[in-house]
């Protein structure tokens, strides 16, 4: 898969993982795992980038004597998810165009 396309998909997957409930790194990876493979070394730069873009905020909570970072989606992050849904309709149309010859051969 094209690296730029995958990067964009990972960003929206991370936002989708926290759209209803605040979450932390390990849980985000666990929630995304059935749909896409993501490692910690991939996730944390994404989280920092999304925070820098004001699409999520970060706060810490003590858990078992340690601080755990939690991530919360912002209004801007919610809007990004809505934009992605609109963009996906366009991508679906492009996919249909690209595969239209395949349909004729089936």
């Amino acid at each position: 898969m094209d690296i730029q396309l995958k990067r964009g998909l990972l960003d929206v997957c991370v936002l989708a993982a926290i759209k209803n409930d605040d979450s932390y790194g390990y849980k985000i990876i666990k929630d995304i795992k059935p749909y896409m493979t993501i490692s910690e070394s991939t996730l944390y730069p994404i989280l920092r980038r999304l925070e820098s873009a004001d699409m999520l905020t970060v706060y810490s909570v003590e858990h078992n004597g340690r601080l755990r970072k939690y991530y919360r989606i912002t209004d801007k992050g919610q809007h990004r998810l809505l934009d992605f849904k609109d963009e996906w309709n366009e991508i679906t149309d492009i996919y249909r165009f690209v595969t239209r010859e395949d349909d004729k051969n089936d």
Side-chain angles (χ1 to χ4, degrees), residues 31-76:
D31 290 344
I32 293 174
K33 189 175 182 176
Y35 309 99
M36 183 178 273
T37 302
I38 186 170
S39 67
E40 285 184 34
S41 62
T42 301
L43 175 64
Y44 289 102
I46 291 169
L47 290 169
R48 284 191 296 275
R49 184 171 58 249
L50 292 172
E51 181 184 11
S52 294
D54 297 324
M55 292 189 202
L56 56 84
T57 58
V58 182
Y59 63 94
S60 296
V61 173
E62 188 175 333
H63 178 77
N64 292 335
R66 299 178 64 197
L67 288 180
R68 176 184 281 172
K69 282 187 175 182
Y70 279 82
Y71 301 89
R72 174 179 295 147
I73 194 167
T74 64
D75 287 343
K76 189 172 181 181

Side-chain angles (χ1 to χ4, degrees), residues 88-104:
W88 193 254
N89 289 330
E90 185 178 343
I91 291 169
T92 302
D93 290 342
I94 293 167
Y95 175 81
R96 284 190 198 113
F97 174 73
V98 170
T99 61
R100 74 184 186 286
E101 293 298 320
D102 297 341
D103 293 339
K104 291 179 184 177

